[in-house]
Amino acid sequence: MVVVGGGVIGLACADELVMAGHDVTVCDPRPGGGSTYAAAGMLAPGGEAWFGEEALLRLGIDSLARWPAFAASLAERSGHHLDLRSTGTVLVAADRDDLAEVHRACRLLDASGVRVEELDRRALRAAEPMLSGRVVGGALLPDDRHVNPRRVADALLAVLGDRVVRARATPEPDGVVLDDGSRLRAEVVVLATGATGMPHVRPVRGEAVRLRSRPSPARVLRARVHGERVYVVPRAHGELLIGATEEEHPADDGDPLPTLGGVARLLETARALIPGLATAELLEVVARDRPGSPDNGPLLGPVPGTGSARLVLAGGHHRGGVLLAPVTAATVRAHVDGLAVPPAAQAFNPQRFDRPNDTDRHTDRDTDRNEEPCA
């Protein structure tokens, strides 16, 4: 069995299949170096919820519930600390228009059974004293978590060991062919190639800035600041990840690079939200392409092939790759082994886009909802 793609999705699928007794090879020229490297690691289905995407919210809730056991097993087997935190997410609004959007999101979450506590200005600043005195209100999502995706990828690479081949692989009817021309035969090929090489998936570029600040917020902050969106994710040793940019790019546009305008917008919005960041140390600026799909949901399951190898897709996770890794791995294993597919994953069959009247064109909703890089 071959998994093509060594991001958090491909590695989690490979690990699940190995634990189920399968002989697995993972092929990727830079495992862990794609969108996983720039991901914020927000395990926050509530923070990502949007109208019309209730099925995706249910999938995220399912996967969030799997994360504690997934992380505990991975940490024990790898010896790596994943920096998994259960401090929740704070939604922040800087003005009345921003607050109207927060209230709208809260109504959706409440109707979906997600715990949410609306906060007035005083309660919001009590929850996060570093916030600007100009914020007007927000909400707390107490069940959200977050994790360091780079640590997760390192842990998965450690447990998979020499099953990971640092080479590019292209699916063929009976397996895959590597860049050097060698072939690996396989009964099953799992395609988890991120933003390229998968039907119905397009690259959506995001930028992120890594800082060090002491003190730093205790919780993930997802904010609207006069219409601009930003998130701030705390990590170990005073590190913070700041992101929110999103931009469509053609698949052949070359390696993603940060832009002056995108980074400046992130930093200006983050400083307006948390004035104390003016003295933070700048550690890293990165850009990566996340894998977008026509409905923002992943493609999970088999597709028709032309040869002896069964082809199973695990892609199109957009901003939710880290969050959805456990449920994706369970879904892929279910398809491979003929087990029951998790109910929340059944809506994400890859062939849903091949039905009449469906198109690969993304809707205006893609640019209306939270514009955030690889979560």
Side-chain angles (χ1 to χ4, degrees), residues 131-218:
L131 287 171
S132 165
R134 297 182 177 182
V135 298
V136 298
L140 172 66
L141 307 181
D143 297 327
D144 283 358
R145 305 171 186 264
H146 63 284
V147 72
N148 189 325
R150 297 185 188 181
R151 294 191 180 191
V152 175
D154 287 345
L156 287 165
L157 289 169
V159 298
L160 291 168
D162 58 10
R163 294 183 179 90
V164 179
V165 176
R166 295 177 181 267
R168 193 177 308 277
T170 303
E172 288 204 327
D174 61 352
V176 300
V177 59
L178 305 185
D179 279 350
D180 63 4
S182 60
R183 284 174 163 76
L184 301 177
R185 295 186 181 276
E187 294 182 358
V188 178
V189 174
V190 177
L191 196 59
T193 50
T196 60
M198 190 176 301
H200 307 293
V201 173
R202 70 188 192 280
V204 183
R205 191 154 301 171
E207 297 157 308
V209 178
R210 191 163 59 93
L211 307 174
R212 181 181 291 114
S213 173
R214 292 187 177 88
S216 63

Side-chain angles (χ1 to χ4, degrees), residues 117-134:
E117 303 170 13
E118 294 193 38
L119 304 174
D120 61 18
R121 177 179 175 276
R122 180 176 296 179
L124 181 62
R125 295 206 65 220
E128 284 298 342
M130 292 189 68
L131 287 171
S132 165
R134 297 182 177 182

